[in-house]
Amino acid sequence: MRKLLAYPLTVIYFIVFGITLLFFHPIQWFCFKVFGYQAHKISVDALQYSLMRCLNVLGTRFTWNNPHDIPKNKPLLIVSNHQSMYDISPIMWYMRKHHVKFVAKKELGKGIPSVSFNLRHGGSVLIDRKNPRQALPAMMTFADYLESTNRAGVIFPEGTRSKDGTPKPFKTKGLDLLISKTPSAWIVPVTVNNSWKMLRYGKFPMGIGNHIKFTVHKPLEIATFTDKRALVSRVEHTIIDAIY
């Protein structure tokens, strides 16, 4: 019965989701081209909030648990496990005061209304996973950007999404580089739970009635760790230990 109900709700969701992306695309373009970064960011924040509301059609709820006072005058590296694309909008919305940017695969930089435009123009970095000659300089430039602007970069070290919530081993090369190039940054570990259930049946129909939960762990100041490998290991275990 639950799966049967998911079919019509998914159709409605796809329609609302598509309209939302198309609606915000020209708004983003106008804000960016005419008024610049700050106006563009406001439009992107509104987009993320609206995308979360679209998921309410499927009975999706969000809980964001952050008991910590995260500095706004320091660059941040937000490190999270990755269960679905539905991890992204809540992170961007709830951490919006920190100007969240993403490390994303280059394929996302074109063809998706609103999303591709923001990835290309909003400060995120697009990398070609199969081409280290492109990825390495791009990541270094991204790290310099975060360090100089005190903004937040999100990285999913698993590399690919977990289809059943089971965490994949962290591929830490990208994270290691960001740590080395953002010496004044703080690392913010985040654990995502239940996001994978949005795709429990595959891409169609989508899962309904899910409660996606985000847990923000204690931020760690990079400069206080002399052993960076120990730091990365601590972050990985902190995130994984909170997955259920």
Side-chain angles (χ1 to χ4, degrees), residues 191-210:
T191 298
V192 183
N193 279 295
N194 298 328
S195 176
W196 68 273
K197 294 179 181 178
M198 299 300 297
L199 301 173
R200 69 196 317 164
Y201 306 126
K203 294 182 179 179
F204 188 87
M206 293 178 62
I208 62 174
N210 295 307

Side-chain angles (χ1 to χ4, degrees), residues 30-220:
F30 182 81
C31 288
F32 179 77
K33 296 291 185 179
V34 177
F35 296 109
Y37 175 83
Q38 291 297 338
H40 179 232
K41 183 187 179 304
I42 292 172
S43 71
V44 171
D45 290 345
L47 168 64
Q48 305 315 317
Y49 179 81
S50 299
L51 292 176
M52 291 171 62
R53 300 290 70 81
C54 289
L55 286 166
N56 293 153
V57 171
L58 299 170
T60 307
R61 293 176 294 146
F62 302 93
T63 294
W64 182 269
N65 180 21
N66 175 26
H68 309 288
D69 184 17
I70 302 174
K72 298 183 181 68
N73 61 344
K74 297 287 184 179
L76 303 180
L77 300 180
I78 301 171
V79 184
S80 175
N81 63 313
H82 195 21
Q83 295 188 348
S84 78
M85 63 177 282
Y86 307 103
D87 305 339
I88 294 173
S89 288
I91 292 176
M92 293 189 71
W93 172 250
Y94 288 110
M95 297 289 287
R96 63 191 181 278
K97 292 181 180 179
H98 301 279
H99 297 253
V100 175
K101 316 302 175 186
F102 279 83
V103 177
K105 57 185 180 181
K106 70 170 186 176
E107 291 82 1
L108 297 177
K110 57 183 179 181
I112 309 173
S114 288
V115 173
S116 296
F117 186 89
N118 180 47
L119 287 174
R120 291 197 312 271
H121 301 287
S124 295
V125 61
L126 295 166
I127 62 171
D128 184 350
R129 296 176 181 174
K130 299 178 181 179
N131 183 4
R133 291 186 177 181
Q134 182 275 338
L136 183 60
M139 288 289 285
M140 293 179 70
T141 300
F142 183 59
D144 291 340
Y145 168 79
L146 297 178
E147 181 72 16
S148 62
T149 58
N150 290 333
R151 290 172 183 164
V154 178
I155 185 168
F156 300 115
E158 289 170 294
T160 56
R161 297 187 291 265
S162 171
K163 295 181 179 180
D164 60 2
T166 303
K168 299 177 182 294
F170 279 19
K171 301 174 183 177
T172 62
K173 189 173 182 179
L175 179 56
D176 291 340
L177 187 150
L178 290 178
I179 288 174
S180 68
K181 293 294 182 179
T182 55
S184 66
W186 290 58
I187 293 184
V188 182
V190 176
T191 298
V192 183
N193 279 295
N194 298 328
S195 176
W196 68 273
K197 294 179 181 178
M198 299 300 297
L199 301 173
R200 69 196 317 164
Y201 306 126
K203 294 182 179 179
F204 188 87
M206 293 178 62
I208 62 174
N210 295 307
H211 187 181
I212 304 178
K213 299 180 180 181
F214 297 81
T215 301
V216 180
H217 303 283
K218 182 180 179 180
L220 304 171

